[in-house]
Amino acid sequence: MGFTERSARDRGDTASSRRRRRRGPLRTLTAGVGLLALLGVLVLGGYAFWLQRTVTNNIVHDDLVAEDRSTITLSPDVSGGQRPGQEGTEDEGDGSEQPSEEGETDGAGRVDAEDDTEVEEVDDEVAPIVGEDGEEIDVTGVEVEASVPARPDEAGDAMNFLIIGTDSRDLSVERGRSDVIVLAHVDDERERVDLVHFPRDLFVPIAGTGGSSKINASYAYGGAPLLVQTLQPLIDVPIDHVVIVNFESFKAMTDAIGGVEVQVTEAGGGFDVGTQYMDGEQGLRFVRERYSLSQGDISRGERQMQFVKAVMLKALSRETLTNPGRLANFVDAATTNLTVDQDLRVGDMRNLAFEMRGVRGGDIHFWQGPWRGIDMHPVAGSIVLMADQQMATLGEHLRTDTMESYSDPVSPRTGFGG
């Protein structure tokens, strides 16, 4: 082989070697990126699996929504539940005690429960169910046949959740009191949420009993299934799912996301008007206060919805969703002591949360269950009077998923109506 041929071959080998050397780092980099991507997928997959397992292990499923034509047997729970903080000897109160002429108050203007036990006992008492003759009805053992309103085509995929806040530490032992009754309507496009608060003293017909009482009495006498059966005829829409959460969970989930900023619209109980930062303990006092507020339980309902909105926005914020530790703590806190109906699966909750990721503060709207005044019933005690026609109007907008055009000119904005 001549010199020229060898030189050409050598030049070719050299060029080939340079190309291999140049491709070597690129191949290494590509392989490294691919490996990192794979590790990222595995980490995210493992994290998602951990969250899924945490939620699955925490959540309790129960028969909270009676199937059509099934039977609900009434068994009154008159234990009343236990308020958060009652176990300790240094109870600071929860803000819901009624002021009396002699009871002493703490620094926030709340009555010391130890000095005003009479009020506490009255507040714990389950309202009786009253017949048309004005006499109390004994409903123990009464069987109520469940029914479900038809879902209109206009509603599309809109969903209705009944959220029940209770002071029970263990639902398998006692139901507790349903101090919070909120209907959450999620629109078909998953772009709007309407929260409708029903005052616990709203005087309504109790399903299947032939009598009427405060709406939270339906929960005391028949649990969530009877509350659903009592509420559905008022608004004439099916309730898709029921969620029961206790107040300790409210505290824990608030602390898990680093507290929340709440828009306070009425001062009282140590909270001023404006944007207020609250941790879990402060939030619990905020949502339970009512006696220092201008409209009592009505105003308390507005506070509860303001607080729920603040938690929802913080939980769906980039600050939470992009912080794995905070998100994990929130999911764990939010699902601990959470009871949902049998048909609400973890996968459904995850999918709904993803679909609602674009919801912002202006997309969450508050309403009161329509009412027209306060009265004193000779048997049931202090009651909130329902505005029947306005309730029918609310039901129409819920059925047709047109809450964006709903208005309520009837429910009093100040005072207690007439």
Side-chain angles (χ1 to χ4, degrees), residues 48 52 344-356:
Q52 173 99 3
L344 185 55
R345 313 314 303 175
V346 173
D348 298 331
M349 289 184 267
R350 181 186 62 241
N351 293 340
L352 181 61
F354 181 78
E355 292 172 353
M356 295 174 60

Side-chain angles (χ1 to χ4, degrees), residues 195-262:
L195 301 174
V196 185
H197 169 258
F198 292 89
R200 69 176 193 173
D201 293 343
L202 190 67
F203 197 69
V204 300
I206 304 299
T209 65
S212 299
S213 188
K214 300 177 182 181
I215 192 170
N216 72 336
S218 61
Y219 180 80
Y221 286 99
L226 187 62
L227 177 53
V228 169
Q229 291 299 306
T230 296
L231 183 57
Q232 283 182 155
L234 301 182
I235 52 179
D236 197 26
V237 297
I239 291 175
D240 300 292
H241 297 291
V242 176
V243 177
I244 300 179
V245 61
N246 67 23
F247 290 110
E248 291 299 323
S249 294
F250 275 117
K251 289 173 55 179
M253 71 175 72
T254 303
D255 290 334
I257 52 179
V260 295
E261 291 187 343
V262 181

Side-chain angles (χ1 to χ4, degrees), residues 55-254:
V55 172
T56 302
N57 290 341
N58 285 353
I59 288 180
V60 175
H61 285 84
D62 203 351
D63 294 324
L64 304 181
V65 181
E67 296 181 357
D68 195 29
R69 298 195 176 184
S70 62
T71 299
I72 305 169
T73 302
L74 305 193
S75 56
D77 177 5
V78 295
S79 57
Q82 184 179 51
R83 292 179 184 273
Q86 278 189 332
E87 292 179 342
T89 58
E90 298 180 357
D91 185 9
E92 297 179 356
D94 56 23
S96 63
E97 295 86 356
Q98 184 175 8
S100 67
E101 296 180 357
E102 299 179 355
E104 297 181 0
T105 61
D106 61 14
R110 296 184 303 276
V111 176
D112 186 338
E114 293 180 359
D115 295 331
D116 205 351
T117 55
E118 181 180 353
V119 169
E120 191 71 22
E121 291 173 0
V122 172
D123 197 41
D124 281 348
E125 193 173 299
V126 176
I129 297 178
V130 184
E132 293 183 0
D133 59 358
E135 298 296 325
E136 180 176 348
I137 301 175
D138 182 6
V139 297
T140 303
V142 170
E143 294 185 345
V144 177
E145 182 176 338
S147 61
V148 180
R151 181 184 299 277
D153 295 336
E154 301 93 314
D157 290 328
M159 302 182 71
N160 299 301
F161 291 80
L162 178 59
I163 303 172
I164 303 172
T166 176
D167 57 2
S168 173
R169 298 283 179 84
D170 186 350
L171 290 176
S172 66
V173 177
E174 61 182 4
R175 298 185 190 115
R177 295 169 303 177
S178 54
D179 281 348
V180 179
I181 303 173
V182 174
L183 181 73
H185 178 82
V186 182
D187 76 337
D188 175 72
E189 299 296 328
R190 306 295 187 255
E191 297 176 347
R192 177 187 173 105
V193 178
D194 288 273
L195 301 174
V196 185
H197 169 258
F198 292 89
R200 69 176 193 173
D201 293 343
L202 190 67
F203 197 69
V204 300
I206 304 299
T209 65
S212 299
S213 188
K214 300 177 182 181
I215 192 170
N216 72 336
S218 61
Y219 180 80
Y221 286 99
L226 187 62
L227 177 53
V228 169
Q229 291 299 306
T230 296
L231 183 57
Q232 283 182 155
L234 301 182
I235 52 179
D236 197 26
V237 297
I239 291 175
D240 300 292
H241 297 291
V242 176
V243 177
I244 300 179
V245 61
N246 67 23
F247 290 110
E248 291 299 323
S249 294
F250 275 117
K251 289 173 55 179
M253 71 175 72
T254 303

Side-chain angles (χ1 to χ4, degrees), residues 264-318:
V264 181
T265 57
E266 180 181 355
F271 297 95
D272 296 326
V273 172
T275 302
Q276 302 289 338
Y277 169 83
M278 300 181 195
D279 60 19
E281 184 62 37
Q282 292 167 327
L284 184 59
R285 294 205 314 270
F286 177 74
V287 301
R288 301 210 67 163
E289 173 67 32
R290 62 169 170 158
Y291 288 112
S292 68
L293 304 179
S294 63
Q295 291 185 298
D297 195 45
I298 304 297
S299 297
R300 175 167 68 168
E302 293 184 0
R303 281 191 162 194
Q304 290 168 351
M305 291 188 289
Q306 291 163 359
F307 189 76
V308 168
K309 177 179 180 178
V311 173
M312 285 181 62
L313 293 178
K314 187 70 174 288
L316 293 172
S317 69
R318 183 180 298 275

